Amino acid sequence: MDASSCVLMKHHATIIFLFCIIIIISPVNGCFTTIFSFGDSLTDTGNLIQLSLSESTKLARFDFPPYGRTFFDFPTGRCSDGRLVIDFIAEGFGLPFLPPYFGDENGKPRNIQQGVNFAVAGATAIDDAFFKQRGIQNPSTNVSLGVELRFFKDVLPFLCSSSSDCKELLRSSLIIMGEIGGNDYNHAFLQGKSTEEIREFVPLVANTIASSIKELIGLGAVTFLVPGNLPIGCSSAYLTYFQGSDASDYDPLTGCITWLNQFSEYHNELLQKELDKIRRLHPHVHIIYADYYNIAMRFFHSPKQFGFTETLKACCGGGGPYNYSSLMACGNPPIRTSCNDPSSYVSWDGVHYTEAAYRWISRAVFEELYNIPFINNLCLPLTVNKQIYL
């Protein structure tokens, strides 16, 4: 991130954030030269909107205002009011925002020398056929992680001319694998499937992510950032869908639904076990797990420390206790306006977070990255200024 993006807003100046290390760096040789990103709507920087345009299908609601209002001033295909974690990570390593794979009017990526984003909003880890066989429909796309990997392989010849060249490129690249897997559960939960059935998906989701990582290792990649799932029990959408649950289902300290958060923790536990297996098989490979769940839970336990006044209610939505309605979602007419100050909200549209929340998550991710000797040594030539804000 550049120096200006590292200056805390005035109303955050007194925030005590002991785990936050803010990194100011300038791009030089020695650190990552390229970022490749895979995932879903938490990471998509414009692929679904371009797919919709190329296929002449109806544009998604997040392709309309007020999406993008905080940073870009217009919708970019990002499912937020501004930047995502992937944007802050790119800035943090002195790289430009990652262009979407479907990046222009011809449906081909452009300006890809420093990275490409293959994430598609609505994408699942498991192939779409798996869900169709079980009567689960994906309302957004049929893209899965396997399809995104095919996109990646299609773009490699534009970046390197031989197997050895590609291995050299990937050795100096950061691969961001996710977040992915959330939609494997979201579509099923919100279409009425039982928790018992959905829980059976989790090992397959974790294994699919691990298999994709191993495939990329085979091509030469050595550094991966793998985020876990966010606490879905704190999501405005889930809180609305399961509204009226027994009082005992809710965490009295946060208002989140406990059993849904436990489901997220189960996914993260299995994912980390798969990552540990890869580390043992490939000791030369660096796999960094980004603990999105516990980072985000800090917002719900101590919102004022992060400048949040609303944790469970969406900034942009169709009303109700959590300001969320699937029938009148943000971006759909007439919901083309949002709260006055998105930075005081954790949730942007009931499903996705605000730029402010993503900024805090990215800062915690950088702390995790720079606590790893390999990353510190790799990026040692950078001008690094680490400050603890008290």
Side-chain angles (χ1 to χ4, degrees), residues 94-290:
L95 297 172
F97 293 149
L98 295 191
Y101 173 69
F102 296 96
D104 62 17
E105 63 276 3
N106 297 317
K108 299 294 182 183
R110 57 184 175 183
N111 302 323
I112 60 175
Q113 288 72 24
Q114 292 178 292
V116 186
N117 191 350
F118 302 98
V120 177
T124 54
I126 306 172
D127 287 343
D128 188 54
F130 173 89
F131 298 103
K132 286 183 176 177
Q133 290 170 1
R134 289 156 179 80
I136 301 167
Q137 301 301 315
N138 187 330
S140 302
T141 182
N142 61 2
V143 171
S144 64
L145 184 53
V147 174
E148 292 180 14
L149 278 174
R150 290 200 292 274
F151 295 160
F152 171 76
K153 292 174 183 176
D154 287 344
V155 88
L156 266 185
F158 295 94
L159 294 169
C160 46
S161 57
S162 67
S163 175
S164 59
D165 285 345
C166 290
K167 286 183 182 294
E168 183 63 31
L169 168 70
L170 291 174
R171 272 196 294 270
S172 62
S173 300
L174 174 65
I175 309 295
I176 302 180
M177 183 56 68
E179 182 275 339
I180 187 74
N183 288 319
D184 297 63
Y185 316 129
N186 293 339
H187 301 320
F189 270 124
L190 300 178
Q191 292 174 35
K193 297 297 180 180
S194 70
T195 305
E196 292 74 18
E197 180 180 357
I198 301 169
R199 191 176 174 88
E200 293 177 357
F201 301 169
V202 181
L204 182 55
V205 169
N207 182 264
T208 300
I209 296 170
S211 295
S212 299
I213 293 171
K214 286 184 279 190
E215 189 169 349
L216 290 166
I217 291 172
L219 294 173
V222 297
T223 308
F224 296 83
L225 178 66
V226 187
N229 278 1
L230 290 163
I232 61 173
C234 303
S235 158
S236 308
Y238 275 101
L239 287 164
T240 300
Y241 185 81
F242 290 103
Q243 191 174 342
S245 298
D246 291 341
S248 59
D249 288 340
Y250 295 87
D251 181 341
L253 297 178
T254 63
C256 304
I257 297 178
T258 304
W259 67 267
L260 281 168
N261 279 352
Q262 290 171 342
F263 187 95
S264 295
E265 290 181 298
Y266 176 58
H267 164 92
N268 293 337
E269 177 187 350
L270 265 58
L271 176 60
Q272 290 181 79
K273 287 181 179 178
E274 291 293 334
L275 298 182
D276 285 339
K277 292 178 186 177
I278 299 173
R279 292 184 183 106
R280 290 193 293 270
L281 283 172
H282 302 280
H284 68 288
V285 171
H286 306 277
I287 299 176
I288 303 99
Y289 174 73

